[in-house]
Amino acid sequence: MILIGQYDSPFVRRVGIALMLYGLAFEHRPWSAFGDADKIRPYNPLTRVPTLVLDDGEVLTESHLMLDYLDSLVAADRRMFPTGEPARHQALRIAALATGLGDKSVSLFYEKRLHENASDLWVGRCRTQIESVLAALDADRAARPGAYWFGDRIGHADVAVAAVLRFLGEAHPGLVPLAGFPALEAHAARLEALPVFQAIFQPFIPPA
């Protein structure tokens, strides 16, 4: 498989971490959706990352679909999304909140980066949404005393939250101090200390 995109994207990073944890062989092409758009377009007409090229040449273009596919390649007891309810929809909910938080963080970055005068209304709305999601995630994590969100084994929800928190802190330093969300702060610190998180990592590089 070929994973396209830079690891400063939380969406690319979550897929790269899953591939590593599953022990699945892949080639990483750290192409930027801006600087390398012409390279990405033949694989993905949206010129977005992540883009995952499967062994048979088929291309997946959304991180959740990629993880769903990767889960299908391993035994049920190794899958990083729970297979039974209610744990499955609970984990999907946390992952969706995390990726939604990532989307808002990206939107806010481009609002400030691409517009000479950023809309105060839009910036304020994004910040409120970010703070609300952080509060919801922090409350949920605080209510779960396990080493990971849903027990003693790392899952896709764990990875999504930690990857997005790293991106938020680097793309918007000081916007929302993580110290105000102690359960999330501890969660992120635990995961970022793992070897796979240190291997699948790239400091945030703002697009030129």
Side-chain angles (χ1 to χ4, degrees):
M1 288 181 279
I2 302 170
L3 177 60
I4 297 172
Q6 297 181 340
Y7 287 146
D8 60 351
S9 160
F11 307 103
V12 178
R13 194 179 183 209
R14 72 189 295 231
V15 176
I17 287 171
L19 284 162
M20 288 283 287
L21 289 171
Y22 282 151
L24 296 170
F26 71 102
E27 174 188 343
H28 178 221
R29 296 184 184 175
W31 294 344
S32 163
F34 279 81
D36 300 303
D38 288 342
K39 295 180 182 178
I40 298 173
R41 191 170 293 110
Y43 298 98
N44 181 353
L46 293 171
T47 61
R48 292 175 57 183
V49 296
T51 292
L52 184 66
V53 185
L54 306 186
D55 291 335
D56 63 1
E58 187 172 357
V59 178
L60 302 181
T61 60
E62 198 280 327
S63 64
H64 182 75
L65 294 180
M66 296 172 196
L67 298 181
D68 183 67
Y69 173 75
L70 297 184
D71 279 2
S72 76
L73 301 180
V74 301
D77 62 353
R78 293 187 61 212
R79 292 174 187 169
M80 292 170 60
F81 270 133
T83 57
E85 296 293 355
R88 179 170 173 78
H89 78 259
Q90 291 172 350
L92 288 168
R93 171 181 171 271
I94 295 302
L97 283 173
T99 56
L101 175 62
D103 287 335
K104 283 298 166 185
S105 300
V106 171
S107 295
L108 181 57
F109 176 81
Y110 285 123
E111 176 65 24
K112 292 180 174 181
R113 180 84 173 186
L114 299 180
H115 297 154
E116 184 175 348
N117 296 306
S119 165
D120 290 339
L121 179 63
W122 181 250
V123 169
R125 177 178 172 80
C126 285
R127 179 167 184 163
T128 297
Q129 291 170 311
I130 288 169
E131 290 176 336
S132 296
V133 172
L134 288 173
L137 289 172
D138 189 69
D140 196 285
R141 186 66 181 96
R144 300 179 187 275
Y148 297 104
W149 215 289
F150 295 98
D152 59 0
R153 192 162 62 91
I154 192 170
H156 291 310
D158 296 290
V159 176
V161 171
V164 167
L165 291 177
R166 163 74 75 167
F167 175 81
L168 175 63
E170 294 194 351
H172 304 286
L175 177 70
V176 183
L178 201 56
F181 306 94
L184 287 183
E185 186 176 42
H187 175 85
R190 176 190 293 273
L191 268 69
E192 291 292 351
L194 297 175
V196 67
F197 272 74
Q198 296 177 23
I200 306 295
F201 168 73
Q202 174 187 315
F204 178 62
I205 303 174

